[in-house]
Amino acid sequence: MPGLVPRTRVTGPLDRFVALSAALTGFRAVDLWGTGQARAHLDRVLEVAGEELCARLLAADPEQTGPLLADPDLGPLARNLIVLWYLGQWDQMPRAWRDRHGASPADVAQVASAAAFRAGLLWPAIGTHAMSANAPGFGSWAMPPERDA
C-alpha cells in the first residue's frame, strides 16, 4: 500500500544495542530511543570494554538474557548497562573482570552525565521525574508520585 513504511531489520550496532538494552531493562526500544542516550551509552560500553567484548555483547540473543547475565565476561557488562540505563551512572567493573580484560580510564564510578541522570529509566518506572529536572520543580518531591491504577 502506498504510504506504508516497510519494517526495517535490526542491523547496525546501535540498533542491536538498543534491542539488547530493551530486553535487559524491560522497557520498549522506542522508550530507550526517546531518552536520547543510546549513542552515549553505547560509547561508554565501547570505551570500557573495547570493540571485541562490545561486539560479543551486541551479538548476544536479546531473547536469552539469562545466559548473558551469567557469562563471566559479558554478565558484568550487561549488569552495568542496566544500571546505566536506569540511573544514568556507570559503576566500576568488578576487580576480577578488570584483571581479565584490563582497566580502562573510562571505567570509573560516576554519573555518566546530567542528561543521562535526567533520562534514567528509574523515573518513569516509579512514576515521577528526576528531582528538580522538570516542572513542577522545587518542592515536587514533598508529595508521593501519582501512580496510574
Side-chain angles (χ1 to χ4, degrees):
M1 290 181 79
L4 291 181
V5 177
R7 286 184 154 217
T8 57
R9 297 180 70 148
V10 174
T11 56
L14 192 55
D15 293 324
R16 289 193 304 273
F17 177 75
V18 170
L20 178 62
S21 295
L24 289 168
T25 63
F27 275 76
R28 300 174 308 164
V30 69
D31 297 321
L32 300 183
W33 285 113
T35 68
Q37 297 302 304
R39 170 53 60 192
H41 288 352
L42 175 56
D43 288 347
R44 173 58 59 112
V45 173
L46 272 166
E47 283 181 300
V48 170
E51 290 185 22
E52 182 182 326
L53 274 177
C54 193
R56 284 182 51 204
L57 181 69
L58 296 181
D61 181 356
E63 302 296 320
Q64 300 292 322
T65 57
L68 171 65
L69 291 167
D71 184 279
D73 296 321
L74 302 179
L77 277 174
R79 287 188 289 279
N80 255 12
L81 187 55
I82 295 167
V83 170
L84 186 58
W85 278 109
Y86 271 86
L87 302 178
Q89 76 182 35
W90 183 264
D91 291 338
Q92 188 175 50
M93 298 298 288
R95 179 171 295 284
W97 188 94
R98 287 182 287 137
D99 288 346
R100 279 194 312 279
H101 301 290
S104 164
D107 186 27
V108 294
Q110 65 182 353
V111 173
S113 69
F117 174 76
R118 285 190 306 271
L121 301 178
L122 167 70
W123 311 118
I126 64 172
T128 191
H129 55 80
M131 296 172 282
S132 301
N134 299 56
F138 180 79
S140 64
W141 278 72
M143 302 296 294
E146 292 182 22
R147 299 287 302 194
D148 294 335

